[in-house]
């Protein structure tokens, strides 16, 4: 089952400030002139379900209105329930491989993987096929990194560049295929 990440980082590789604040990302999004969406709607058309970690879910849960009309799996090993979760949101306490098997049984064939730790866990498991990375022209200096330790057995992960595009408002987006994916 193909799994894709579509995520933005600061130029120095952070997805949020140390406290999870996304003010810098919101400021960048405010510079985007509608109807431009940097390919997000087209990306989402090919997605059957989303996977995110609990921290990402807690951030997105505050968005009004709820931004997704597709099933959302929230990975967590520490929470037992998601009170007042929007329709289509369910907690999943297994591994990425177990989640893929579950999603396949539900008829879902293409997953969007979101959130730093969740993206890292899918990479470590060899289950992420492709990543679309949009770089925002800001240096945060510190924060929550997109990438971290690769996991046991990985010394590096090779990626193949697929394409890059940029916009006058400063965003640069590159798409990569992960070469170290498990068969």
């Amino acid at each position: 089952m193909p799994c894709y990440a579509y995520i933005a980082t600061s130029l120095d590789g952070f997805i949020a400030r140390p406290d999870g604040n996304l003010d810098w990302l919101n400021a960048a999004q405010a510079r985007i002139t509608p109807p431009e969406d940097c390919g997000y709607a087209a990306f989402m058309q090919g997605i059957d379900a989303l996977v995110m970690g609990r921290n990402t879910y807690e951030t997105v849960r505050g968005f009004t209105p709820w931004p997704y009309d597709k099933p959302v799996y929230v990975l967590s090993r520490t929470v037992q329930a998601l009170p007042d979760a929007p329709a289509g949101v369910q907690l999943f306490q297994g591994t990425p491989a177990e989640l893929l098997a579950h999603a396949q049984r539900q008829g879902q064939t293409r997953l969007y993987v979101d959130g730093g730790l969740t993206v890292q866990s899918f990479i470590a498991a060899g289950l992420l096929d492709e990543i679309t990375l949009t770089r925002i022209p800001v240096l945060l200096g510190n924060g929550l990194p997109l990438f971290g330790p690769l996991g046991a057995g990985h010394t590096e992960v090779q990626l193949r560049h697929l394409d890059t595009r940029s916009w006058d408002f400063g965003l640069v987006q590159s798409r990569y295929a992960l070469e170290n994916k498990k068969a």
Side-chain angles (χ1 to χ4, degrees), residues 131-179:
I131 185 165
T132 300
L133 180 63
T134 304
R135 289 174 305 285
I136 310 299
V138 63
L139 298 172
L140 298 180
N142 65 6
L144 304 177
L146 173 55
F147 301 112
L150 298 175
H154 287 289
T155 56
E156 62 186 43
V157 174
Q158 295 292 321
L159 295 99
R160 181 172 36 89
H161 178 256
L162 299 173
D163 56 59
T164 295
R165 60 191 209 174
S166 63
W167 293 269
D168 290 341
F169 43 83
L171 278 61
V172 177
Q173 185 179 82
S174 297
R175 196 167 53 97
Y176 299 93
L178 281 81
E179 298 289 316

Side-chain angles (χ1 to χ4, degrees), residues 15-26 55 59 63 143-144:
I15 58 172
R17 293 192 187 278
D19 64 357
N21 193 315
L22 299 175
D23 61 330
W24 60 277
L25 181 56
N26 295 333
N55 291 333
T59 298
F63 296 171
L144 304 177

Side-chain angles (χ1 to χ4, degrees), residues 66-110:
W66 175 248
Y68 305 116
D69 61 355
K70 300 175 187 283
V72 175
Y73 297 103
V74 178
L75 289 178
S76 179
R77 293 194 174 132
T78 59
V79 299
Q80 301 302 310
L82 299 171
D84 303 316
V89 174
Q90 66 177 307
L91 180 64
F92 193 88
Q93 296 181 309
T95 66
E98 291 167 339
L99 175 61
L100 291 185
H102 173 79
Q104 281 183 314
R105 288 191 299 273
Q106 305 305 309
Q108 298 152 350
T109 60
R110 295 171 57 94

Side-chain angles (χ1 to χ4, degrees), residues 18-42:
D19 64 357
N21 193 315
L22 299 175
D23 61 330
W24 60 277
L25 181 56
N26 295 333
Q29 288 176 324
R31 293 193 307 261
I32 300 172
T33 309
E36 181 62 64
D37 70 352
C38 302
Y40 183 75

